[in-house]
Amino acid sequence: MPDKSAPDYSAAQRDFMTVLQRGPGAFPDGVFAGRPERALLGLKAHANTISHARLVALEDTYPKTRERLGDEAFNQLSRAFVERDEVMTRDMNSIGEAFGDYLAAHGVDEASTDLARIEWAWLQSYHAAEAECLTMQDVAGLDEQELLDLPLQWHPSLHYVPLSAPLAPELGPGFESEAPVTAMLLARPEAEVLLHPHHAEAAVIFAIAKKSIRMRNFLEAACEQFSENSALEQIFALVGAGALRRSISGEDA
């Protein structure tokens, strides 16, 4: 049985968080000992510290987007973003979620919003669960029947970001391509997150395997879209990128 004589701190904790988020207008009565103005002064200092930490966390999540937009524009957008109700309740690890969508809704150019979405996907890929990816060496060790029966699923670190514009140069060198880049694939097969530009054909291949699928079904679906050689090339490119793993369930899609 709960001890009814024990103090209930849950309401006080909610009041404390509310005043930190909402400011002096939400200051609760009777929560703090001593003069209210002294307690409010301490809360203001604490709130300022938290607000600064949240802005720094957003800067650390989106360094290339900040570089592209410039400090002043980025700071104005990020301050307004962190004051949104749904953002105030997030912890530091998730504070930057959907910042790219926020930029898009506030008139920021498409290359910048794409860049922000790529940076968020990079962070999610970096923190994804560990898993052994399928390698070309694994594939080479299988006979034809074993290869066709191989159950596949996406690696947990895989993220696929469709693009609305040419890649922002702030992303860095190495992504130049003769064909238009339509998406960015990110995966962390080992310790490092790797970025792979994808084209329209690769996007079709990527869409085939929504969940666990056997290699034969993957190939059959891909060959309906492309020649056998092209389908194999696209699938093996995904293997080389660390985007696939052996399916845990082994079930067909």
Side-chain angles (χ1 to χ4, degrees):
M1 295 289 294
D3 183 0
K4 296 183 178 181
S5 64
D8 179 11
Y9 295 109
S10 58
Q13 290 172 345
R14 286 194 300 270
D15 289 340
F16 183 80
M17 290 305 300
T18 298
V19 73
L20 289 178
Q21 294 170 357
R22 303 291 185 182
F27 186 74
D29 295 327
V31 173
F32 302 99
R35 291 183 299 165
E37 60 269 21
R38 296 302 299 173
L40 182 57
L41 184 63
L43 283 172
K44 285 181 177 179
H46 188 53
N48 287 337
T49 300
I50 292 177
S51 177
H52 178 71
R54 293 165 74 82
L55 290 171
V56 170
L58 203 63
E59 292 175 357
D60 290 344
T61 301
Y62 296 101
K64 295 183 183 296
T65 304
R66 181 187 181 193
E67 176 187 351
R68 179 173 174 83
L69 295 178
D71 289 346
E72 183 176 353
F74 183 88
N75 288 340
Q76 288 178 351
L77 288 161
S78 61
R79 286 181 183 278
F81 176 77
V82 299
E83 290 175 1
R84 293 163 65 92
D85 289 345
E86 66 271 25
V87 178
M88 285 184 176
T89 58
R90 297 176 187 169
D91 60 32
M92 292 299 182
N93 292 326
S94 60
I95 190 171
E97 184 178 357
F99 186 56
D101 295 341
Y102 177 82
L103 296 181
H106 286 76
V108 176
D109 67 281
E110 291 180 335
S112 296
T113 60
D114 285 344
L115 182 58
R117 289 171 177 138
I118 290 171
E119 290 199 276
W120 178 252
W122 186 96
L123 187 65
Q124 301 311 295
S125 182
Y126 181 80
H127 289 295
E130 299 287 343
E132 186 175 350
C133 68
L134 186 70
T135 67
M136 291 303 297
Q137 186 175 7
D138 296 330
V139 171
L142 302 174
D143 62 32
E144 181 179 355
Q145 190 60 47
E146 289 172 332
L147 179 60
L148 292 174
D149 288 340
L150 183 64
L152 303 169
Q153 65 182 153
W154 295 123
H155 192 274
S157 71
L158 179 70
H159 286 268
Y160 190 80
V161 182
L163 302 179
S164 305
L167 286 170
E170 287 79 8
L171 191 60
F175 301 112
E176 300 82 4
S177 173
E178 295 181 2
V181 177
T182 59
M184 186 64 71
L185 183 150
L186 301 89
R188 182 178 52 78
E190 294 183 358
E192 182 181 0
V193 177
L194 304 177
L195 281 71
H196 305 273
H198 269 222
H199 314 295
E201 284 190 359
V204 173
I205 295 291
F206 184 88
I208 292 172
K210 294 292 187 180
K211 54 182 179 179
S212 177
I213 188 171
R214 292 192 183 276
M215 178 66 85
R216 65 161 50 83
N217 298 334
F218 202 178
L219 277 171
E220 288 173 359
C223 288
E224 291 178 1
Q225 304 292 328
F226 310 104
S227 68
E228 182 177 349
N229 286 340
S230 179
L232 282 170
E233 181 181 346
Q234 298 291 343
I235 292 173
F236 287 154
L238 289 172
V239 174
L244 293 164
R245 61 170 298 183
R246 290 178 184 265
S247 175
I248 296 174
S249 66
E251 299 175 356
D252 289 326

